[in-house]
């Protein structure tokens, strides 16, 4: 590898970065979280706010992370200290956010694996999908064992390295996922009574928008684009010096948003058609999808295929989180990739246990009305993620300085970046102000 004079790896091709970063972005945040958040926060009006946040805040932020990563060419903690000593703490926030997210991501990955297995065995009874979900998640051992399988899966892939493991894996799963979502989406929107769901999803009622909707939409945009965790800094650090970052980074929000919007078409019409409660939260896709597949010819087959693809999406996101942690731990402790994976995988397992048990034996443990799993999700989405994104903006805006960042973005003048003035204003002023505002607001109204 001849990049930047260091011995870090690099992507085999620019499309390698795009697919891997899109693989990181497209995950359970799109397939599992987006539909239930839309369900909870008022449907179409929320979607509109979300789209605005993706364009106005998400895209500039992706550029900042990618540029910082490529500039520093090191792990995400040292990326800050390379530019200015004393700023490694931002990387530590990124690290913590990644760690806590990965801990409960494993629980969800385990659920996906279990559903995949159920479909391979012939499907979940549509009439009792809700009871099945409640029973499975409330049990102690099965979800934990499935979580262990999920962790083993992403750990093995990461141990194979960034090009052999991650790049190859992302290259075929994503296109297939899109095709399958269109197929299942068509079934969903043609169900009897689907129209009500479609209008909920597509006809905005702007009276439903308030400050907390904006906060939730912003944090969902960041979560879905894998921002504020250093993941894109890490992936950016493998990008070649002469690659066009603007063009590459633009592809990520586009792909990510297509998948999120499709997930809404798959889930929401079906929710209304079957009379489920769109507000029910984290169980929404796990309850709705089995009912959709039960109405399809060869439903068990399509169900299994669909959950394989959901699994791919979840795995590629988990991979980026582990890669992120591994890069820091490996370089700091001078451990090989394989050894770092062996160290981190059991830690991820143990740290995921309380989130898994939160639906069963630990159900009684709640804080601010949330069980442990929801608490983790809240801590990541509404506390760690905003804090670390806020400091990243301050860092780029006032420490590294937009002028230097733009030089990196344009590969030292090789490419044009017409929006550099707008970008500077967004990253240095608008973004930190918005993030600060919604964070203060969300602390005020804990539980949103
Ligand atoms: N973007 C991923 C998803 O939507 C989650 C994620 C966040 C992954 C941050 C990596 C880093 O599921």
């Amino acid at each position: 590898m001849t990049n930047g004079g260091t011995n870090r790896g690099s992507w085999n091709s620019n499309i390698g970065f795009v697919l891997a970063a899109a693989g990181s972005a497209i995950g359970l945040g799109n397939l599992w979280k987006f539909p239930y958040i839309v369900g909870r926060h008022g449907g179409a009006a929320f979607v509109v706010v979300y789209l605005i946040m993706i364009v106005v805040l998400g895209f500039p932020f992706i550029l900042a992370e990618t540029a910082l990563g490529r500039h520093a060419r090191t792990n995400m903690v040292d990326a800050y200290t390379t530019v200015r000593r004393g700023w490694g703490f931002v990387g530590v926030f990124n690290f913590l956010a990644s760690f806590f997210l990965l801990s409960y991501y494993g629980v969800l990955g385990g659920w996906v694996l279990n559903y995949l297995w159920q479909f391979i065995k012939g499907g979940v009874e549509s009439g009792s999908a809700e009871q099945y979900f409640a029973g499975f998640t409330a049990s102690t051992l099965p979800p934990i064992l499935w979580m262990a399988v999920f962790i083993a899966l992403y750990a093995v892939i990461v141990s194979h390295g960034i090009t052999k493991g991650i790049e190859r894996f992302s290259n075929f799963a994503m296109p297939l996922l899109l095709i399958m979502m269109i197929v299942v989406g068509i079934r969903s929107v043609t169900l009897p009574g689907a129209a009500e769901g479609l209008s909920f999803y597509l006809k905005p009622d702007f009276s439903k928008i308030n400050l907390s909707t904006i906060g939730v939409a912003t944090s969902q945009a960041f979560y879905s684009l894998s921002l504020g965790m250093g993941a894109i800094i890490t992936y950016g650090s493998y990008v070649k010096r002469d690659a066009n970052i603007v063009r590459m980074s633009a592809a990520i929000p586009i792909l990510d948003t297509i998948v999120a919007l499709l997930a809404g078409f798959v889930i929401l019409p079906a929710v209304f058609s079957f009379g489920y409660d769109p507000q029910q939260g984290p169980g929404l896709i796990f309850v709705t999808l089995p009912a959709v597949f039960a109405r399809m010819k060869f439903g068990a087959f399509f169900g299994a295929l669909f959950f394989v693809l959901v699994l791919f999406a979840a795995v590629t996101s988990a991979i980026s989180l582990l890669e992120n942690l591994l890069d820091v731990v490996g370089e700091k402790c001078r451990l090989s990739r394989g050894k770092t994976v062996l160290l981190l995988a059991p830690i991820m397992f143990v740290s995921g246990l309380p989130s898994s048990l939160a639906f069963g034996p630990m159900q009684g443990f709640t804080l601010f009305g949330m069980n442990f799993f929801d608490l983790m999700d809240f801590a990541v989405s509404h506390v760690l993620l905003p804090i670390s994104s806020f400091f990243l903006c301050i860092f780029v805006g006032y420490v590294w300085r937009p002028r230097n960042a733009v030089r990196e973005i344009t590969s030292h003048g090789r490419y044009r970046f017409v929006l550099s003035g707008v970008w500077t204003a967004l990253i240095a002023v608008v973004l930190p102000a918005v993030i600060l505002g919604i964070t203060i607001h969300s602390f005020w109204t804990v539980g949103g």
Side-chain angles (χ1 to χ4, degrees), residues 48 65 124 137 175 207 225 233 238 282 339 344 446:
V48 173
E65 284 204 19
V124 175
T137 52
S207 68
L225 293 172
I233 300 179
Y238 306 125
K339 286 212 181 97
L344 288 175
V446 175

Side-chain angles (χ1 to χ4, degrees), residues 263-279:
F265 279 110
V266 168
I267 303 298
L268 291 167
V271 166
F272 282 82
S273 168
F274 297 122
Y276 295 138
D277 176 10
Q279 308 247 3

Side-chain angles (χ1 to χ4, degrees), residues 158-237:
V158 169
S159 69
H160 281 85
I162 68 148
T163 47
K164 270 192 250 129
I166 302 172
E167 211 168 338
R168 212 186 284 165
F169 198 75
S170 312
N171 285 6
F172 73 96
M174 292 297 131
L176 202 58
L177 175 67
L178 273 184
I179 297 171
M180 266 307 286
M181 289 185 77
I182 293 171
V183 171
V184 184
I186 290 173
R187 173 66 277 208
S188 182
V189 298
T190 51
L191 284 167
E196 199 189 331
L198 277 174
S199 99
F200 174 78
Y201 190 39
L202 300 176
K203 256 214 213 121
D205 169 3
F206 289 108
S207 68
K208 288 191 179 147
I209 293 180
N210 51 35
L211 253 171
S212 87
T213 328
I214 296 175
V216 174
T218 309
S219 106
Q220 172 64 13
F222 274 59
Y223 186 103
S224 190
L225 293 172
S226 298
L227 299 176
M229 313 238 174
I232 303 297
I233 300 179
T234 303
Y235 275 7
S237 76

